[in-house]
Amino acid sequence: MNSHNKHNTSPISTLSFSSHYKYSLLATSIDLKRQRFTSPLLLIFLFLCLSFATSMAFPDSDSDSGPVVQTTPLVTFLQRVQLTALRSYSKKPDPKFYIDLSLKLPHDLSTAESAFDDLTTGSRDLSVPVEKLEKFVHEYFDDAGIDLVHHEPEDFVSDPTEFLLNVENDQVREWAREVHSLWRTLSCRVSDSVIESPDRHTLLPLPEPVIIPGSRFREVYYWDSYWVIKGILTSKMFTTAKGLVTNLMSLVETYGYALNGARAYYTNRSQPPLLSSMVYEIYNVTKDEELVRKAIPVLLKEYEFWNSGKHKVVIRDASGNDHILSRYYAMWNMPRPESSVFDQESASGFSSTLEKQRFHRDIATAAESGCDFSTRWMRHPPNFTTMATTSVIPVDLNVFLLKLAFMMEIAGDRKGSERFVKASEARKKAFETVFWNEKAAQWLDYWLSSNGDEPETWKAENQNNNVFASNFAPIWISSFHSGKTMSTCLFAHMY
């Protein structure tokens, strides 16, 4: 069961329960009348219960009803600390720093919350003297990043002569050497304290060492890892590459999808699904069939995530044929914890709760896309408040998902391979129908006319005619090219 399902009751099951509850109450009241039992307190109780059941059956239409994955109590508290910091310093600090803090022993969360309440008591805007805030943070928290410790990669070689010899230009060769040395600098492992006491950290436990982006980004990120793996394979760090994939697979096994990043506040969204591409890249170099076999159940789980629920959309062509495609859709409708003040300010122009919630979901969804924040997701660019990422069916996302047929073939799963060959053929038809634009000679993102919950009919005017690099993702993912039309030959050899 995916974690987001734990927090969202089916509307159908809710209605069924509440209807049953109302009928039970009605029967009870009739029975009481028969007995001429008319206690005022009991009647009030029945009225309140009936109101409760009705509210369950008919949710507030003024709020966003999409799925939301709740965050941890520590993240919620750190958002309060973050807000106070941003209101206390004259020069605004990095908001992510505060959300990455870890509780310092021997304090627990309730003790830290009580001390913070005392600190901010009497402050109307939650600002406090900077020296008092810094004293509080130092007393109750370990610094951001302390929950990662350096790891010396066993497969790192200081002087990678073999691949550097292929670089002819002296300056480029020296630059390549510097990039290679970064793998050692950025290599870390999650500290034992995170594994032993995960509720004291926003960093998530991972089984293998990681390579982080660096600077303020003190955790592993999903689609960044693809580019990291491309680099470390060139540096012949095969063990490290497999470890990065193992970490991502552990997240899929735990949450049902690979998270945006390995932090508790990222559990509400994923990122471009390049896990199958990572496994493919490693296999191409190492021929490690065991890795492929191990990855297949995980990739199937991720495939299901992107092809079900809110991520699944159906477009109907003029002939009445339905084409299944995927979209980005974050399971969050509030300010993002790592940037909550920025998100609140960005949404300040909206008057209703529903408008703000939809905007926050579209911001989080843009972050899920990995292209945050692109005008690609704006209805009226460059107006940031017109962000509508959940209303876009992206070309690149629908390309990333389709490497399972090849994986199944490697693993010797003939039936599985045939299943995904058929799936890729269906996706090919969807690409030709929904995305391909003959005049532009490229694939174009498609704007939904509705919320995407029901099938909708394809309209030519819904294609986004702006040119983005992502329009050409089908070319990037396959190097094949021949005299046939580009769209046909690419799909024939992509999977």
Side-chain angles (χ1 to χ4, degrees), residues 399 473-481 489-491 493-495:
V399 171
I475 298 175
W476 167 77
I477 206 167
S478 175
S479 58
F480 184 88
H481 182 62
C489 72
L490 281 170
F491 275 98
H493 295 267
M494 190 182 298
Y495 311 111

Side-chain angles (χ1 to χ4, degrees), residues 202-260:
T202 63
L203 189 69
L204 299 177
L206 293 171
E208 299 293 336
V210 301
I211 290 182
I212 61 173
S215 186
R216 64 195 291 266
F217 299 107
R218 313 169 190 90
E219 56 281 317
V220 67
Y221 283 82
Y222 182 9
W223 87 313
D224 299 49
S225 296
Y226 174 79
W227 314 105
V228 170
I229 284 174
K230 290 282 285 185
I232 61 180
L233 286 176
T234 300
S235 294
K236 301 193 178 300
M237 297 173 65
F238 306 137
T239 301
T240 299
K242 292 175 187 178
L244 298 187
V245 163
T246 299
N247 286 333
L248 293 171
M249 290 197 296
S250 75
L251 293 174
V252 177
E253 288 168 340
T254 302
Y255 298 96
Y257 45 94
L259 307 183
N260 182 150

